[in-house]
């Protein structure tokens, strides 16, 4: 029963933080200090696989918009959907190349609370600064986005390879700097997440299998439960988040990141020692 409670809490954290610019990694590192599944190899696998639930929530919400084969769409709408996918594929290429190359280095050298608390703080300040200077957006739909812009947003996503940066923060802020509206920036960030997170999760799973990490039936059940819960929580958050960005800026998220980084610093540098 205690394992199930842990799964619910960890899935809630993942579902809430994955698609908003606050760093799901930072939250999970902090939460794992108090609530952690055992053994560590299973805890790591759990945190990776439940991301699939969050990805599926994006696919469900935007299925019609992302489905180029829908019989309900006109020929022009189908072409528009294909154009969206072209931009997503171009945007995901930089992270795919760099992520594959530096995955082991990131896990060994950067996946620690000190890096995360630093990037949380720095990017919190960046978000506040950029929002304070944000000008009127020129790009009001993904179809208006050039391939060059999609590639540059993809390069911005690579910054999120450093834990604590937040993939959504990097892509959303990158898109806004390139002239995209907040809504377009958030949507394109969600769409980029589909191949990016599928690829990253698949890579981690394959590596775990090759290492021969065993799992019991109970552990399999916990992972399935966590995936379903992450899906449900992310589904709710994405819908709420899109309503929020239509009327508000991201300064509140920047402030939250700064506060969280201070909380992590107090805990890891003072209390935990």
């Amino acid at each position: 029963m205690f394992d199930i409670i842990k799964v619910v809490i960890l899935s809630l954290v993942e579902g809430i933080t994955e698609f908003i610019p606050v760093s799901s990694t930072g939250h999970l590192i902090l939460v794992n200090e108090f609530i952690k599944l055992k053994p560590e190899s299973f805890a790591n696998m759990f945190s990776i696989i439940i991301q699939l639930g969050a990805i599926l929530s994006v696919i469900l919400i935007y299925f019609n918009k992302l489905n180029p084969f829908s019989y309900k769409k006109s020929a022009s709408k189908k072409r528009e959907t294909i154009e969206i996918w072209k931009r997503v594929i171009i945007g995901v290429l930089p992270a795919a190349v760099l992520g594959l190359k530096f995955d082991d280095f990131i896990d060994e050298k950067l996946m620690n609370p000190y890096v995360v608390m630093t990037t949380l703080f720095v990017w919190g300040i960046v978000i506040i600064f950029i929002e304070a200077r944000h000008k009127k957006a020129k790009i009001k739909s993904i179809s208006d986005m050039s391939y060059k812009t999609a590639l540059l947003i993809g390069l911005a996503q690579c910054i999120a390879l450093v834990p604590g940066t937040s993939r959504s923060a990097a892509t959303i802020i990158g898109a806004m700097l390139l002239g995209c509206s907040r809504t377009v920036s958030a949507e394109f960030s969600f769409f980029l997440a589909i191949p990016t997170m599928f690829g990253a999760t698949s890579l981690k799973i394959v590596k775990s299998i090759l290492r021969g990490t065993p799992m019991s039936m109970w552990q399999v059940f916990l992972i399935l439960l966590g995936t379903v819960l992450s899906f449900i929580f992310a589904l709710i958050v994405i819908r709420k988040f899109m309503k929020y960005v239509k009327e508000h800026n991201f300064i509140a998220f920047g402030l939250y990141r700064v506060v969280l980084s201070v909380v992590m610093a107090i805990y890891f540098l003072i209390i935990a020692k």
Side-chain angles (χ1 to χ4, degrees), residues 113-125:
Y114 307 106
V115 171
V116 171
M117 71 176 72
T118 302
T119 50
L120 275 170
F121 181 84
V122 170
W123 279 91
I125 297 299

Side-chain angles (χ1 to χ4, degrees), residues 230-248:
S230 294
F231 168 79
I232 294 170
F233 295 138
L235 197 67
I236 296 168
V237 168
I238 290 173
R239 286 174 171 158
K240 297 289 186 182
F241 181 62
M242 289 308 297
K243 289 180 180 178
Y244 178 89
V245 299
K246 290 177 181 178
E247 301 176 1
H248 304 85

Side-chain angles (χ1 to χ4, degrees), residues 94-111 158 161-163 203-204 207:
V97 173
L98 294 178
L100 189 62
K101 183 175 180 61
F102 294 107
D103 183 64
D104 289 335
F105 173 82
I106 292 167
D107 283 346
E108 293 171 11
K109 305 295 184 180
L110 302 181
M111 192 62 74
C158 293
L161 291 172
V162 180
L203 177 63
K204 300 284 188 182
K207 285 186 175 182

Side-chain angles (χ1 to χ4, degrees), residues 103-229:
D103 183 64
D104 289 335
F105 173 82
I106 292 167
D107 283 346
E108 293 171 11
K109 305 295 184 180
L110 302 181
M111 192 62 74
N112 63 72
Y114 307 106
V115 171
V116 171
M117 71 176 72
T118 302
T119 50
L120 275 170
F121 181 84
V122 170
W123 279 91
I125 297 299
V126 169
I127 289 172
I128 295 169
F129 178 77
I130 290 174
E131 274 289 12
R133 297 170 59 87
H134 185 55
K135 298 178 180 179
K136 190 174 181 180
K138 297 177 181 178
I139 301 173
K140 301 296 180 65
S141 72
I142 296 177
S143 302
D144 295 335
M145 184 187 296
S146 68
Y147 294 136
K148 179 182 177 181
T149 299
L151 180 61
L152 290 173
I153 295 172
L155 288 170
Q157 181 175 231
C158 293
I159 300 171
L161 291 172
V162 180
T165 300
S166 169
R167 192 203 59 79
S168 59
T171 50
I172 289 173
I173 295 303
M176 287 173 60
L177 284 173
L178 292 165
C180 298
S181 69
R182 291 187 184 88
T183 302
V184 169
S185 300
E187 279 196 350
F188 194 63
S189 174
F190 294 155
F191 299 164
L192 275 180
I194 297 172
T196 300
M197 292 173 63
F198 260 122
T201 303
S202 299
L203 177 63
K204 300 284 188 182
I205 292 172
V206 169
K207 285 186 175 182
S208 294
I209 292 173
L210 292 176
R211 293 189 190 108
T213 305
M215 276 198 296
S216 66
M217 289 302 296
W218 176 246
Q219 289 173 331
V220 171
F221 167 75
L222 292 177
I223 285 177
L224 290 174
L225 176 62
T227 302
V228 171
L229 291 174

